[in-house]
Amino acid sequence: MSNTNRGGPGKEYEARLALIKKGLRRRYFKERMVQALGVLAIVAALGMLAVLLATITRTGYTAFEQTQVLLSIRFDAEEIDPQGTRDPSVLSTADYGGLIKDSLREMFPEVIGRSEKRELYSLVSPGAAFELGGMVVKEPGIIGTTREVWLPANDDVDMYVKGNVNRLSEGQEAMVRTLMERGDLKKRFNTAFFTRGDSREPELAGIWGAAVGSFYTLLVTMLLSFPLGVATAVYLEEFAPVNRFTDIIEVNINNLAAVPSIVFGLLGLAVFLNFFGLPRSAPLVGGLVLTLMTLPTIIIASRATLKSVPPSIREAALGVGASKMQSVTQHVLPLAMPGILTGTIIGMARALGETAPLLMIGMVAFIVDVPSGIFDKATVLPVQIYLWADSPERAFVERTSAAILVLLAFLVVMNAAAVVLRRKFERRF
């Protein structure tokens, strides 16, 4: 009797077993390849992200310091306020640039030629005179005294000290080295970058105006999109009948979530500016445009969260005599609120980083003053980054990267807040 008839592993059985093992090895190899490709993709993505962050950080961290010059300023009463009125309108129009030039000539008495004096005067920022004017207006008591004042150096001097680029003449280099040896030229923390608005002079430009504009714009967006989005999600999920009309609404909401953001900008330009005549470049209009863009995201996230609440919660509320409205508002909505807040914060983070729709409604304008309300002309951080990136001055390059770092920090904080809220208040059923 053959081995096959006796129940032993015959040749046919061994061939099939070898074929199965070969197929398993091939399948396991493909699985390992897919896993390796996935890991490689993650490593590549993280590597490119690390390179991007490293490049931005290396370029932008120097903007958090600003080169300043220590000058001995004699606030001569005859030049500043000869009548002794102490009127702010008179004090702000005095020739403070002349006071700076007098101090520089005292520091470098050997400089006598016209071209040499021009090079000497250009070491200090043109906006330093406005800083002195602001000091005198705030503190008129300094008139008639001599003070040691740190004033911003010119952007070329700043770039030279930081080792980025050298656009100084030989004479200016010698003056800068002399100031550094005396301790009258140092890099100090750039408070102006965080406390001022935009400026034509890179050494005076700051992000505070854009940050305030972003705050007002997101405030309008939040006040409009959150209640509208949540109310829409609650109605569609809990109260709306299932028919063709609601199906069309749901399809359109899903489609709006994928519409390019610039389309919302064109809509805002046509409706809010041209039709309703709202003020151009105002946070109010920016908030309305971002509301239209953010609503689909909030509605979709809110509906998904409402669906995750077990039906037993609704049934138990109805079983003890609660109305449909009471069941939703007092039981379902509080349980779904952590997820709703998470989706809202993510939507706000996306709105914070948008540029294209705001360019269409004029928030790309050069705004120096810090806005004081939603009707004032303003810009936002992404648009400010766009403006600086388009500026020819080399010093704006580092400020562009520094503003990107600040914007990324805001986005990380907002996304981290979303994660914390979800983990802290989320209930598992």
Side-chain angles (χ1 to χ4, degrees):
M1 183 179 291
S2 65
N3 292 337
T4 304
N5 294 333
R6 293 177 183 176
K11 293 183 178 180
E12 183 180 354
Y13 174 78
E14 292 178 355
R16 290 182 178 179
L17 183 60
L19 185 63
I20 292 173
K21 290 182 178 180
K22 182 179 180 181
L24 287 175
R25 286 195 299 269
R26 185 165 55 249
R27 188 176 68 184
Y28 291 152
F29 175 76
K30 291 181 179 180
E31 290 179 357
R32 288 193 296 269
M33 286 296 297
V34 171
Q35 293 177 359
L37 290 174
V39 173
L40 181 62
I42 294 175
V43 172
L46 292 177
M48 289 186 286
L49 178 61
V51 171
L52 175 64
L53 291 177
T55 303
I56 295 175
T57 303
R58 186 180 69 252
T59 307
Y61 82 96
T62 54
F64 299 125
E65 289 184 324
Q66 174 64 39
T67 305
Q68 295 185 344
V69 184
L70 180 62
L71 298 180
S72 179
I73 303 296
R74 184 173 63 254
F75 295 93
D76 191 352
E78 293 296 327
E79 296 185 18
I80 299 175
D81 189 17
Q83 303 298 328
T85 60
R86 302 297 174 93
D87 185 0
S89 61
V90 176
L91 299 179
S92 61
T93 58
D95 184 18
Y96 296 101
L99 302 182
I100 295 175
K101 293 177 181 179
D102 293 341
S103 178
L104 288 171
R105 285 196 299 268
E106 291 178 2
M107 298 177 68
F108 293 92
E110 67 277 8
V111 176
I112 55 176
R114 177 176 296 181
S115 60
E116 293 177 343
K117 287 183 179 180
R118 188 181 301 113
E119 292 181 349
L120 174 63
Y121 299 154
S122 64
L123 296 180
V124 180
S125 170
F130 296 101
E131 289 199 3
L132 288 181
M135 290 175 54
V136 174
V137 171
K138 291 180 180 179
E139 189 182 354
I142 65 176
I143 298 177
T145 64
T146 300
R147 296 283 185 91
E148 301 287 334
V149 183
W150 286 99
L151 296 175
N154 195 6
D155 59 319
D156 291 338
V157 176
D158 185 50
M159 291 292 98
Y160 173 78
V161 173
K162 293 176 180 177
N164 293 332
V165 64
N166 183 9
R167 298 177 57 185
L168 301 178
S169 65
E170 294 182 0
Q172 288 177 318
E173 284 189 54
M175 297 174 191
V176 168
R177 287 194 294 268
T178 301
L179 290 172
M180 295 177 66
E181 292 172 359
R182 295 176 182 174
D184 295 334
L185 186 72
K186 293 182 179 180
K187 290 187 296 182
R188 308 181 72 192
F189 182 72
N190 191 5
T191 56
F193 183 75
F194 298 96
T195 59
R196 292 181 178 175
D198 197 7
S199 175
R200 300 293 184 189
E201 307 297 335
E203 65 273 10
L204 302 178
I207 62 171
W208 180 241
V212 174
S214 295
F215 170 77
Y216 284 128
T217 302
L218 289 183
L219 179 64
V220 174
T221 304
M222 182 70 178
L223 293 178
L224 293 176
S225 62
F226 180 71
L228 289 176
V230 174
T232 303
V234 170
Y235 174 75
L236 291 176
E237 194 62 34
E238 302 292 339
F239 298 99
V242 179
N243 52 36
R244 185 179 297 274
F245 178 70
T246 56
D247 290 342
I248 293 175
I249 292 177
E250 293 178 5
V251 170
N252 281 278
I253 290 174
N254 293 328
N255 288 336
L256 284 174
V259 170
S261 59
I262 195 170
V263 175
F264 293 101
L266 292 171
L267 177 64
L269 175 64
V271 177
F272 299 133
L273 296 183
N274 296 337
F275 184 76
F276 289 106
L278 294 177
R280 192 177 183 87
S281 304
L284 174 63
V285 181
L288 290 172
V289 172
L290 294 181
T291 296
L292 297 176
M293 190 191 69
T294 309
L295 268 176
T297 302
I298 297 178
I299 294 172
I300 293 172
S302 300
R303 291 194 65 188
T305 307
L306 291 170
K307 285 181 181 178
S308 66
V309 178
S312 59
I313 301 295
R314 301 171 177 82
E315 295 169 357
L318 296 175
V320 297
S323 64
K324 180 68 172 178
M325 179 64 71
Q326 290 174 329
S327 170
V328 172
T329 58
Q330 299 178 13
H331 299 278
V332 177
L333 195 57
L335 293 176
M337 190 54 66
I340 294 175
L341 291 177
T342 300
T344 302
I345 293 175
I346 293 175
M348 292 296 103
R350 181 195 171 191
L352 177 62
E354 285 295 335
T355 304
L358 302 181
L359 295 178
M360 302 304 300
I361 60 171
M363 296 191 78
V364 70
F366 175 73
I367 306 297
V368 178
D369 298 326
V370 178
S372 57
I374 61 174
F375 296 100
D376 295 340
K377 294 185 180 298
T379 187
V380 293
L381 272 174
V383 177
Q384 187 68 76
I385 293 171
Y386 168 78
L387 289 172
W388 285 350
D390 197 43
S391 298
E393 289 85 352
R394 178 64 178 82
F396 274 120
V397 175
E398 63 173 12
R399 277 156 179 77
T400 300
S401 298
I404 293 174
L405 291 176
V406 174
L407 180 60
L408 289 177
F410 279 129
L411 294 176
V412 169
V413 169
M414 294 180 71
N415 284 278
V419 173
V420 170
L421 285 175
R422 184 175 68 247
R423 291 185 176 181
K424 184 175 182 179
F425 298 105
E426 185 179 27
R427 295 186 181 181
R428 299 186 180 276
F429 304 100

